[in-house]
Amino acid sequence: MASAKIKKGDTVVVLSGKDKGRSGTVQKVMPKEGKVVVEGVNIATSHRKPSQVNPQGGIDRAPAPMAIAKVAVADPKDGKPTRVRFEERDGKKVRVAVKSGETIDG
């Protein structure tokens, strides 16, 4: 695959699916599977039977992986989705938002 344009800790916007328009922080990137886990987005529920560890049982909710193509990095200027390109600034390779030209890396 191409070099990673979305990294852990980035703020991303969901482009399609049930959570379209919502944004969150990337918790995990899985480049081989082409998936990302975004905080507060694509929440999966799993029903747990009562056990000795959890005698009450109940419903667990956790963010599930989603396709990396369904998310775009949020522009640092206005928070809208933008594409990312790489540029060399001050001798360093940095990620730059295509819409505003702002640097995404610190």
Side-chain angles (χ1 to χ4, degrees):
M1 288 190 79
S3 56
K5 294 190 175 182
I6 295 177
K7 295 183 179 180
K8 182 180 176 179
D10 283 351
T11 302
V12 294
V13 179
V14 180
L15 301 175
S16 65
K18 64 180 181 181
D19 293 316
K20 181 178 179 177
R22 295 182 67 192
S23 60
T25 308
V26 175
Q27 292 179 328
K28 187 177 182 182
V29 180
M30 297 172 271
K32 286 187 179 175
E33 291 90 34
K35 296 190 179 283
V36 290
V37 177
V38 182
E39 184 180 10
V41 177
N42 196 30
I43 302 297
T45 60
S46 57
H47 298 260
R48 301 285 179 201
K49 287 176 75 174
S51 63
Q52 285 188 335
V53 176
N54 185 6
Q56 186 67 32
I59 301 171
D60 289 342
R61 292 178 176 84
M66 62 189 306
I68 203 164
K70 288 189 171 193
V71 298
V73 176
D75 197 322
K77 212 171 211 177
D78 59 5
K80 292 183 180 175
T82 182
R83 289 170 298 154
V84 176
R85 72 167 162 250
F86 290 96
E87 286 183 8
E88 198 166 307
R89 294 188 178 175
D90 302 325
K92 279 190 157 185
K93 184 179 174 182
V94 293
R95 295 181 302 154
V96 176
V98 172
K99 274 189 180 175
S100 65
E102 294 281 316
T103 304
I104 295 169
D105 297 323

